[in-house]
């Protein structure tokens, strides 16, 4: 037998390495094994197992919690690609349950109702990696400091309106660009202002990108939306309601996967976007009252 | 000299960086290109198939018309290194999991693979392993890693872990179940470059 004590599990390298393996890929929200197989067949790099897609969570109201473990297990058994699932912000027991189920990455997500109004989960004590949402550099670096192996924009989930994801991606990349050319004392001041650990701000300034993989999420609904987020510097894309709320989910899923590989080729994007049916109807983020915005959950 | 890294999805920039580092160490020159579309593979002298998700990579390699180009260049003797998902793509045959997803395989190497031989992400690990061509152990990073369950007579086994084959070569093909691009130890990229510059 293998000498188990010699195998090092859940190290920072293993967690960030997993996130890195997802680069250039599309991660799709699914609510049952059939949808999971459609996503895998379409070329998704992973699926996010959910009880309901964000558009339906938004419609239903009430308290949104971790998905039923039965659903998650059925999805895990139905595909060979990685399966992710969401835990409420701060709800470390939901996260422990997801880890026990064999989920490959946990999304500590603002789409669910937060369980703690002061603390996010201490992600360093888990073996499985986490992804967390962020709207700006300070928020992204605080999550990385707590152990997140991947960052995604929050956007505004369940709307099919990409504007907030664009805003958050430009905010983060803009703040990183602004760090270039700053002196060490100016960077220390910035770190204080954005409430982020100074070492991580220095590392980000040097790398000129986040120290972990940075995906786009929250409102991506078409191949063009996905390509737009890649053009803005995303390492990959989460598509939530955008696939299975579309008129023809199989075609939309395949087209978004191809669009991410061809994001810089408008001619090919035009071909890819033809005859794939209508995108999700969606809801303009203009019309959402502030108290119903999901992106303001977490800090 | 031109080395291509398939850049569709996964650990692409890490392989580019690792190749640059290895070239610098051995004081040799080569142009490194990332490949997402048809027409580039035939211009290369060597190729790297990085890790990522093998189902996604297989699908897009076919869709973009790269798969047939790789097969043709392999027949012409091009050195190819496949890591993790890249190892799966090199294989002739996969396990039940690979078959049920209609996974596209290049089928260049006489090996059978088990797609997630070491389990899910929580079971992923790093550990020191012995490789036949290295004098000291190598810290190998296994992420939802595959293993080789059968190696044909022309395949040379280079390393095992718990009786599973995790590194092998067949002529100009080099297959690894782990991720040499995630650590700063460049000895595996050097071994591949030995084939390229031979």
């Amino acid at each position: 037998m293998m000498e188990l004590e010699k195998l090092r599990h859940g190290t920072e390298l293993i967690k960030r390495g997993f996130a890195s393996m997802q680069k250039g890929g599309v991660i799709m929200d699914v609510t049952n094994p059939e949808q999971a197989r459609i996503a895998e067949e379409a070329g998704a790099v992973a699926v996010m197992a959910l009880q309901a897609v964000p558009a339906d969570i938004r419609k239903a109201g009430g308290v949104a919690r971790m998905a039923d473990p039965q659903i998650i297990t059925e999805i895990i058994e139905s595909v060979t690609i990685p399966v992710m699932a969401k835990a409420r912000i701060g709800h470390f027991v939901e996260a422990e349950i997801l880890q026990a189920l064999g989920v490959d990455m946990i999304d500590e997500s603002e789409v669910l109702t937060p369980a703690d109004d002061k603390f996010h989960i201490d992600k360093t004590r888990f073996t499985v990696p986490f992804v967390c949402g962020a709207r700006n550099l300070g928020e992204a670096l605080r999550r990385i400091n707590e152990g997140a192996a991947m960052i995604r924009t929050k956007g505004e989930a369940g709307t099919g309106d990409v504007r907030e994801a664009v805003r958050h991606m430009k905010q983060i990349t803009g703040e990183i660009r602004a760090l270039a050319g700053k002196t060490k004392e100016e960077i220390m001041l910035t770190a204080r202002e954005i409430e982020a650990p100074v070492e991580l701000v220095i590392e980000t300034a040097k790398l000129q990108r986040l120290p972990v993989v940075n995906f786009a999420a929250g409102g991506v609904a078409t191949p063009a939306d996905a390509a737009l987020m890649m053009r803005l510097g995303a390492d990959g894309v989460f598509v939530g309601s955008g696939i299975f709320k579309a008129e023809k989910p199989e075609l939309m899923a395949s087209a978004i996967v191809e669009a991410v590989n061809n994001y810089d080729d408008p001619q090919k994007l035009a071909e890819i976007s033809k005859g794939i049916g209508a995108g999700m109807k969606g809801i303009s983020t203009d019309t959402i009252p502030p108290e119903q915005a999901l992106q303001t959950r977490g800090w | 000299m031109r080395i291509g890294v398939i850049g569709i999805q996964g650990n692409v920039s890490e392989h580019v960086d690792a190749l640059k580092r290895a070239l610098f160490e051995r004081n040799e020159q080569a142009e490194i290109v990332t490949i997402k579309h048809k027409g580039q593979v035939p211009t290369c002298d060597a190729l790297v198939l990085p890790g990522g998700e093998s189902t996604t990579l297989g699908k897009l390699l076919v869709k973009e018309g790269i798969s047939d180009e790789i097969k043709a260049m392999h027949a012409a003797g091009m050195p190819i290194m496949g890591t993790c998902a890249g190892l799966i793509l090199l294989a002739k045959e996969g396990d039940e999991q690979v078959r049920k997803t209609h996974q596209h395989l290049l089928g260049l190497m006489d090996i059978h693979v088990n797609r997630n031989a070491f389990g899910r992400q929580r079971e992923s690990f790093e550990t020191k392993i012995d490789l036949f061509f290295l004098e000291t152990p190598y810290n190998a990073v296994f992420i939802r890693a595959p293993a080789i369950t059968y190696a044909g007579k022309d395949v040379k086994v280079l390393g095992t872990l718990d009786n599973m084959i995790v590194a092998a070569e067949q002529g100009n093909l080099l297959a690894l179940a782990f991720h040499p691009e995630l650590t700063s130890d460049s000895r595996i990229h050097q071994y591949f470059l030995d084939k390229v510059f031979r």
Side-chain angles (χ1 to χ4, degrees):
Chain A
M1 261 317 282
M2 211 176 323
E3 295 171 74
L4 287 170
E5 69 272 21
K6 283 192 181 165
L7 303 183
R8 282 164 288 134
H9 299 278
T11 62
E12 206 54 42
L13 184 59
I14 295 292
K15 290 179 182 177
R16 290 189 181 188
F18 171 81
S20 181
M21 233 53 76
Q22 304 283 304
K23 283 190 298 184
V26 181
I27 300 164
M28 301 181 190
D29 279 5
V30 299
T31 57
N32 57 51
E34 194 201 338
Q35 290 183 351
R37 279 190 292 269
I38 290 171
E40 181 173 55
E41 192 73 28
V45 289
V47 291
M48 178 74 71
L50 289 165
Q51 192 110 24
V53 294
D56 290 333
I57 291 176
R58 191 177 273 288
K59 217 182 291 170
V63 177
R65 310 181 179 94
M66 170 186 82
D68 180 345
Q70 180 66 35
I71 294 177
I72 295 171
T73 301
E74 284 172 13
I75 290 172
I76 285 176
E77 284 167 359
S78 69
V79 290
T80 65
I81 54 178
V83 176
M84 306 183 179
K86 291 184 195 292
R88 281 180 265 177
I89 289 172
H91 206 316
F92 56 86
V93 172
E94 281 189 350
E96 286 167 0
I97 292 170
L98 294 176
Q99 176 166 279
L101 288 171
V103 160
D104 296 294
M105 180 174 243
I106 297 170
D107 183 2
E108 187 183 17
S109 177
E110 69 283 1
V111 170
L112 307 182
T113 311
D116 191 319
D117 62 357
K118 284 199 177 61
F119 300 98
H120 281 250
I121 297 169
D122 173 10
K123 294 164 272 288
T124 58
R125 61 177 197 87
F126 284 79
T127 306
V128 293
F130 278 72
V131 53
C132 289
R135 287 163 301 168
N136 54 52
L137 183 59
E139 201 173 3
L141 296 181
R142 285 193 293 280
R143 297 295 86 80
I144 294 168
N145 192 47
E146 293 157 0
M150 182 197 265
I151 293 296
R152 54 169 177 78
T153 58
K154 282 183 168 172
E156 190 56 39
T159 60
D161 185 347
V162 78
R163 175 170 51 176
E164 293 302 303
V166 168
R167 191 203 307 279
H168 299 158
M169 187 57 76
K170 283 192 166 171
Q171 175 68 30
I172 290 173
T173 52
E175 282 185 77
I176 294 173
R177 254 194 322 276
L179 292 175
K182 280 196 172 165
T183 64
K184 193 167 175 208
E185 61 177 13
E186 286 167 341
I187 284 182
M188 283 163 74
L189 179 64
T190 302
R192 226 166 57 212
E193 286 167 354
I194 66 172
E195 298 178 10
V198 69
E199 309 76 44
L200 284 175
V201 182
I202 291 170
E203 190 184 352
T204 304
K206 199 153 67 182
L207 293 171
Q208 276 299 295
R209 57 155 295 137
L210 287 180
V212 302
V213 171
N214 185 20
F215 268 50
V220 176
T222 65
D225 285 351
L228 172 65
M229 297 313 298
M230 294 300 287
R231 286 284 284 277
L232 294 178
D235 291 315
V237 178
F238 283 89
V239 186
S241 320
I243 306 280
F244 291 99
K245 287 285 171 193
E247 188 187 349
K248 297 172 178 168
E250 285 95 343
L251 296 183
M252 184 60 81
S254 254
I256 292 180
V257 168
E258 282 182 63
V260 167
N261 189 47
N262 292 286
Y263 69 89
D264 49 2
D265 185 342
Q267 203 69 48
K268 272 198 158 167
L269 289 172
E271 286 306 313
I272 290 164
S273 306
K274 275 181 192 163
I276 55 169
M280 68 181 283
K281 178 161 180 280
I283 161 175
S284 165
T285 51
D286 269 347
T287 61
I288 296 174
E291 69 277 10
Q292 285 176 23
L294 301 177
Q295 60 175 282
T296 49
R297 294 167 165 182
W299 42 92
Chain B
M1 191 64 72
R2 192 172 221 221
I3 304 171
V5 178
I6 296 297
I8 286 174
Q9 190 271 314
N11 249 2
V12 181
S13 61
E14 289 80 358
H15 264 296
V16 171
D17 292 346
L19 285 167
K20 283 183 181 161
R21 218 164 40 233
L23 285 164
F24 178 78
E25 284 169 9
R26 61 197 286 143
N27 195 23
E28 302 217 59
Q29 307 284 327
E31 183 192 356
I32 299 168
V33 290
T34 60
I35 298 171
K36 288 165 61 164
H37 308 295
K38 202 179 162 158
Q40 290 175 281
V41 171
T43 69
C44 292
D45 303 292
L47 195 65
V48 175
L49 292 168
E53 285 306 321
S54 54
T55 45
T56 308
L57 286 164
K59 180 189 147 92
L60 288 170
L61 281 178
V62 174
K63 197 121 203 176
E64 295 289 340
I66 300 172
S67 178
D68 288 339
E69 292 182 339
I70 298 175
K71 288 178 192 168
M73 292 309 285
H74 162 67
M78 177 192 262
I80 304 175
M81 169 164 74
T83 62
C84 196
L87 172 149
I88 295 174
L89 291 170
L90 287 176
K92 272 225 164 70
E93 207 171 301
D95 60 353
E96 175 68 22
Q97 280 203 321
V98 173
R99 280 194 296 275
K100 85 172 183 194
T101 54
H102 317 293
Q103 164 81 59
H104 172 74
L105 301 174
L106 294 166
L108 307 181
M109 203 165 169
D110 191 14
I111 54 173
H112 296 182
V113 291
N114 177 348
R115 190 193 203 272
N116 293 122
F118 297 97
R120 307 192 66 82
Q121 176 58 16
R122 68 178 174 201
E123 283 92 38
S124 295
F125 57 91
E126 31 179 323
T127 193
K128 287 206 157 56
I129 60 169
D130 290 313
L131 294 171
F132 290 169
F133 57 93
L134 297 180
E135 285 173 10
T136 56
Y138 187 89
N139 188 50
V141 179
F142 291 81
I143 296 179
R144 287 175 51 98
I148 297 170
T149 52
Y150 160 85
K153 62 175 173 34
D154 297 330
V155 177
K156 187 175 166 196
V157 173
L158 300 174
T160 60
L161 182 61
D162 193 29
N163 295 320
M164 287 192 270
I165 303 168
V166 295
E169 68 183 342
Q170 179 184 333
N172 265 346
L173 300 171
L174 176 61
L176 308 155
F178 50 92
H179 292 279
E181 77 284 5
L182 282 178
T183 54
S184 55
D185 187 341
S186 62
R187 289 180 292 168
I188 287 175
H189 283 86
Q190 292 296 6
Y191 186 72
F192 178 61
L193 290 177
D194 287 345
K195 290 181 187 290
V196 178
F197 286 95
R198 185 156 54 206

